Amino acid sequence: MPPEGELRYPSPPPTESTTTIDEEAGWVWAQIKAEARRDAEAEPALASYLYSTILSHSSLERSLAFHLGNKLCSSTLLSTLLYDLFLNTFTSDPGLRVAAVADLRAARARDPACVSFSHCLLNYKGFLACQAHRVAHKLWNQSRRPLALALHSRISDVFAVDIHPAAKIGKGILFDHATGVVIGETAVIGNNVSILHHVTLGGTGKASGDRHPKIGDGVLIGAGATILGNVKIGEGAKIGAGSVVLIDVPPRTTTVGNPARLVGGKEKPTKHEECPGESMDHTSFISDWSDYII
């Protein structure tokens, strides 16, 4: 049963194979507007804010463009300019809407603190930073690099999330808490990945060119983990909180510590079946790792 006061949604549309992307996006947008109406009635102090950011808009793209424009504007980078930039980019590339919807679904499913889609859209700085980064990445690929770097700087200033505009990020991404996340220029992140706060995907400091980590689909990276160099983190791997990873991690394995070591040992590491990027299981490995008891 959902918590008291939480909206009971109709079932979401089935997977992409049996429904259109437009239907899924439409379903999520309908939930967001229903949540905003409920919250405006419950808390009149927020009614004007909810109207201007959600209820006055005809689509998720327009709402997101308006909200990001107001979040990231400055005295010299005007909200109207940013709104037009975001809206034109979102509407010209349907893949950005697909990714935004997948990210909203990811936050709602994986984070127990995410009480609604609208809560994520309005308040989750990891979600907002990721959507803004996708626009910066698009600009970077269009050789509009000064604007991409200016946007990157504003994202870092406002959200405390530093993602180089050249970094490639998939969909279904959860930046949980997000503060202090740093992602380097040549990093690549797959789909359905969850990354917690103060994670660094960086270089070793002594290499140029392709020098940042490659994160496979379904990976979970715990808080404070540092992954350095052009290393590959295999599909469905789990990186424990605070780990320092300098070499490749095999798929479906768990690595923990500083320096990081594979649970089960290097020769026959323990493998798991679940997708940790979706299950968010941070600690099930502990009995195989240590007999330390408080």
Side-chain angles (χ1 to χ4, degrees):
M1 296 290 288
E4 185 177 350
E6 185 172 349
L7 288 182
R8 299 168 181 266
Y9 302 132
S11 297
T15 59
E16 264 181 40
S17 60
T18 56
T19 190
T20 68
I21 293 169
D22 286 344
E23 286 175 338
E24 182 174 18
W27 180 83
V28 170
W29 178 236
Q31 309 316 307
I32 290 171
K33 295 195 83 168
E35 293 161 355
R37 291 188 192 97
R38 175 203 62 187
D39 292 344
E41 291 174 2
E43 184 50 79
L46 292 177
S48 178
Y49 169 64
L50 291 168
Y51 179 80
S52 64
T53 52
I54 293 176
L55 295 174
S56 65
H57 300 285
S58 59
S59 67
L60 176 60
E61 297 96 307
R62 289 182 176 276
S63 174
L64 187 55
F66 178 86
H67 193 40
L68 286 173
N70 280 283
K71 282 280 189 180
L72 295 173
C73 67
S74 69
S75 59
T76 53
L77 198 59
L78 301 181
S79 62
T80 51
L81 182 151
L82 290 176
Y83 172 77
D84 288 340
L85 173 66
F86 286 125
L87 183 59
N88 290 337
T89 307
F90 288 142
T91 54
S92 67
D93 185 351
L96 297 181
R97 180 179 60 172
V98 172
V101 169
D103 294 351
L104 285 165
R105 301 279 299 256
R108 189 74 177 93
R110 298 176 207 165
D111 185 359
C114 185
V115 297
S116 65
F117 289 115
S118 62
H119 174 49
C120 179
L121 172 65
L122 295 175
N123 304 319
Y124 269 41
K125 68 178 186 176
F127 169 79
L128 294 170
C130 190
Q131 310 320 306
H133 162 75
R134 291 198 173 102
V135 173
H137 181 68
K138 185 87 171 175
L139 294 169
W140 183 269
N141 289 339
Q142 293 172 341
S143 296
R144 301 176 70 183
R145 296 188 174 183
L147 183 54
L149 291 168
L151 187 54
H152 159 243
S153 178
R154 289 300 298 156
I155 295 166
S156 180
D157 289 346
V158 172
F159 298 126
V161 176
D162 191 339
I163 310 173
H164 191 282
K168 299 175 183 177
I169 298 180
K171 62 182 180 179
I173 303 300
L174 173 61
F175 289 129
D176 197 358
H177 302 289
T179 300
V181 167
V182 177
I183 300 173
E185 179 181 8
T186 60
V188 178
I189 299 174
N191 298 323
N192 301 315
V193 172
S194 293
I195 296 176
L196 274 84
H197 46 290
H198 292 293
V199 164
T200 297
L201 306 181
T204 62
K206 59 183 182 180
S208 58
D210 192 357
R211 62 196 183 278
H212 296 106
K214 309 298 181 282
I215 310 300
D217 294 347
V219 169
L220 171 62
I221 306 178
T226 299
I227 306 173
L228 300 179
N230 187 12
V231 299
K232 183 177 181 180
I233 309 302
E235 178 181 346
K238 185 186 302 185
I239 311 298
S243 298
V244 176
V245 180
L246 303 175
I247 59 175
D248 292 353
V249 175
R252 302 284 174 179
T253 62
T254 300
T255 188
V256 184
N258 180 8
R261 292 178 290 161
L262 290 169
V263 172
K266 185 176 181 180
E267 299 303 320
K268 292 184 178 179
T270 303
K271 297 225 172 184
H272 46 258
E273 295 301 321
E274 86 280 5
C275 176
E278 297 181 5
S279 71
M280 300 297 288
D281 180 0
H282 291 269
T283 59
S284 62
F285 64 86
I286 198 67
S287 61
D288 295 327
W289 176 249
S290 172
D291 59 0
Y292 176 72
I293 300 172
I294 295 176

